[in-house]
Amino acid sequence: MKQDMIVILDLGSHENTVLARAIRALGVYSEIYPHDITVEELKALPNVKGIIINGGPNHVIDGVEIDVNPGIYNIGIPVMAAGHDKALCEVKLPEFTNDVEAIKAAVKSFVFDTCKAEANWNMTNFVNDQIELVRRQVGNKKVLLALSGGVDSSVVAALLLKAIGDKLVCVHVNHGLMRKGESEDVVEVFKNQLKANLVYVDVTDRFLNKLANVEDPEQKRKIIGGEFIRIFEEEARKLDGIDFLAQSTIYPNIVESGTKTAKMVKSHHNVGGLPEDLKFELVGPLRQLFKDEVRACDLELGLPYDMVYRQPFPGPGLGVRCLGAITRDRLEAVRESDAILREEFKNAGLDKKVWQYFTVVPDFKSVGVRDNARSFDWPVIIRAVNTVDAMTATIEPVDWPILMKITDRILKEVKNVNRVCYDMSPKPNATIEWE
């Protein structure tokens, strides 16, 4: 089923993604395109019911004021302006807001009354469409996927399993920097329950040996990312008849990689840097989805709740939460304390309330007392933050009884630890992660 679409033309607004999400929340599909899209390109897009020109402060580039192609006003599709005065009808959107409800109210009449769009954007239709598209693209050939166990790669795996079954080959690399039980969960869900063709590679020693005595956070990230690519390449070369590489890129990744009116926030890739002789065609079934839609898609596909609402996790894993040079004993302290924190937050219902929470263990010790004797051990630092867009973050005011229970358990159950601290620093000045 082809969804009706409202096209947003980016004429320098900061709020394109919020507008797109608001329209999708009305049940109508929406995508963002550059201001200078041609009439031919616009006509080639499927089921376009309306166009919104979204103006804003970035409408001047190199001293020249930009504008949309004037031909778009004559192609028979309703055009609305937000912060731009040349369209057929104009609306003022709430400025600098993440209030999806307010934006929905502002554009609802245009979407349904003027454009006559049908509210047919939902996860059932999306999943069915993607299964059909993947089958058409892949045919009887094989697809390779790097399955981390994160939300995005998990939904790609589940969707492709429905589409092509055992023609999907998943590779899960356990680099020894996963949270407690995560690799085991990947094997249990995908290999044992969903019967996926899963290659499990445990290369803990290889990673930790490469990271020995490396203190600089950026160097750690480069080693972890580079080594992952090499291992994935090695596994790919062992497999015969692979023609496609599945990517778990989602829509914000594409938007954040830069537009003509916005500088790049950060570059995104999933399995980048593979050698040119590994010639794969790409399959990217999530390219249209925002993060909340990815989770809705996960639930539609029947994945376990704990996997769908898995905590955001940095690419280098616990490697950037074991501060400074990584040692096996301190890494284990991070893993065990993090598991206690997650368990107690879940027991208290905070797992559904707090955006991200984790522990870090720094590379220094302090004097303490254990078993009536002097100890010289590490502190564990708890971090729990709330955010909408990860650009700013506030601290969760966890009740003292919960913090005391977590502290008591960490001090009793985690080896080589004698203090527990709670990080009270918002972003800014602090970042969410410590490294």
Side-chain angles (χ1 to χ4, degrees):
M1 180 180 183
K2 296 298 183 185
Q3 287 90 9
D4 289 347
M5 177 162 66
I6 302 295
V7 168
I8 298 168
L9 297 185
D10 175 17
L11 200 65
S13 174
H14 294 307
E15 300 164 340
N16 294 308
T17 56
V18 182
L19 176 57
R21 290 184 66 190
I23 295 169
R24 292 188 189 190
L26 291 169
V28 179
Y29 183 60
S30 181
E31 281 190 358
I32 303 161
Y33 285 89
H35 69 280
D36 57 355
I37 186 172
T38 67
V39 170
E40 291 73 22
E41 289 170 333
L42 201 52
K43 285 182 176 179
L45 298 175
N47 291 25
V48 177
K49 296 295 183 179
I51 299 166
I52 297 178
I53 305 169
N54 200 22
N58 293 335
H59 66 284
V60 176
I61 298 178
D62 296 329
V64 178
E65 185 170 357
I66 60 174
D67 203 349
V68 298
N69 190 317
I72 70 168
Y73 300 114
N74 302 314
I75 60 177
I77 298 174
V79 181
M80 183 180 90
H84 184 65
D85 59 3
K86 297 180 182 178
L88 303 182
C89 61
E90 186 173 3
V91 67
K92 184 163 182 66
L93 297 180
E95 292 185 4
F96 304 107
T97 179
N98 284 313
D99 188 346
V100 171
E101 292 302 317
I103 297 177
K104 281 167 60 177
V107 301
K108 184 175 181 179
S109 177
F110 174 74
V111 170
F112 293 115
D113 299 336
T114 305
C115 301
K116 309 298 182 187
E118 184 179 344
N120 55 11
W121 168 249
N122 57 61
M123 279 304 110
T124 300
N125 289 342
F126 172 80
V127 168
N128 291 336
D129 281 354
Q130 290 303 313
I131 288 173
E132 178 188 339
L133 289 170
V134 167
R135 286 173 177 166
R136 194 182 306 160
Q137 180 184 7
V138 172
N140 291 318
K141 296 177 180 178
K142 291 183 179 179
V143 179
L144 182 63
L145 169 67
L147 177 58
S148 69
V151 176
D152 299 342
S153 69
S154 294
V155 74
V156 170
L159 197 153
L160 292 179
L161 281 170
K162 282 188 177 290
I164 59 175
D166 62 4
K167 291 189 286 291
L168 172 67
V169 181
C170 300
V171 176
H172 176 69
V173 177
N174 181 1
H175 48 25
L177 304 170
M178 304 289 285
R179 287 176 291 205
K180 188 174 182 177
E182 285 192 316
S183 286
E184 292 83 354
D185 287 346
V186 170
V187 173
E188 172 59 27
V189 171
F190 287 98
K191 187 170 187 176
N192 299 341
Q193 296 179 20
L194 300 180
K195 308 303 180 186
N197 185 355
L198 176 66
V199 178
Y200 173 73
V201 188
D202 189 340
V203 284
T204 297
D205 290 342
R206 177 167 165 177
F207 269 84
L208 295 186
N209 290 339
K210 288 272 185 181
L211 290 164
N213 301 317
V214 178
E215 297 183 4
D216 180 71
E218 286 306 309
Q219 187 64 19
K220 287 198 290 186
R221 289 176 182 272
K222 288 178 182 178
I223 290 171
I224 293 166
E227 198 64 19
F228 181 89
I229 290 171
R230 279 187 285 275
I231 290 166
F232 190 79
E233 174 197 345
E234 291 167 13
E235 295 303 318
R237 293 189 187 282
K238 296 176 185 176
L239 302 167
D240 294 325
I242 303 288
D243 292 286
F244 293 88
L245 177 68
Q247 287 192 313
S248 52
T249 302
I250 65 176
Y251 200 51
N253 299 161
I254 297 168
V255 174
E256 283 186 352
S257 291
T259 67
K260 294 177 182 178
T261 61
K263 293 182 179 179
M264 184 180 70
V265 177
K266 53 184 175 180
S267 59
H268 288 270
H269 64 278
N270 295 102
V271 183
L274 291 175
E276 291 184 2
D277 63 322
L278 289 174
K279 298 186 183 300
F280 296 123
E281 186 178 336
L282 298 180
V283 178
L286 303 189
R287 291 175 60 85
Q288 298 171 294
L289 298 186
F290 289 102
K291 192 69 172 185
D292 58 329
E293 293 172 325
V294 174
R295 288 197 163 100
C297 187
D298 266 331
L299 294 173
E300 177 73 24
L301 290 164
L303 286 173
Y305 178 90
D306 287 346
M307 185 165 280
V308 173
Y309 287 94
R310 177 181 185 258
Q311 277 280 294
F313 197 45
L318 298 182
V320 291
R321 295 177 182 171
C322 184
L323 306 183
I326 298 171
T327 60
R328 290 175 187 258
D329 47 3
R330 220 158 30 84
L331 181 61
E332 193 61 18
V334 177
R335 197 182 335 266
E336 292 298 325
S337 60
D338 178 80
I340 291 170
L341 177 67
R342 287 188 289 137
E343 182 180 338
E344 293 301 332
F345 264 40
K346 184 175 182 180
N347 291 341
L350 290 172
D351 60 321
K352 300 179 180 67
K353 180 186 177 187
V354 182
W355 186 78
Q356 189 172 16
Y357 46 94
F358 55 89
T359 63
V360 298
V361 178
D363 189 15
F364 61 81
K365 295 182 177 182
S366 68
V367 175
V369 177
R370 183 180 293 275
D371 300 327
N372 296 316
R374 180 183 184 275
S375 70
F376 194 56
D377 292 321
W378 299 300
V380 166
I381 301 165
I382 297 172
R383 186 122 171 93
V385 299
N386 290 308
T387 182
V388 173
D389 55 10
M391 301 303 292
T392 62
T394 59
I395 304 305
E396 174 64 23
V398 180
D399 291 341
W400 278 112
I402 299 171
L403 280 177
M404 293 300 290
K405 185 177 181 182
I406 294 167
T407 298
D408 185 61
R409 284 195 59 191
I410 289 174
L411 292 177
K412 287 179 178 176
E413 299 174 30
V414 182
K415 295 179 180 178
N416 304 312
V417 167
N418 64 4
R419 294 178 189 270
V420 177
C421 307
Y422 192 65
D423 184 347
M424 295 292 294
S425 314
K427 177 181 180 179
N429 291 359
T431 55
I432 293 174
E433 295 286 347
W434 274 58
E435 285 191 345

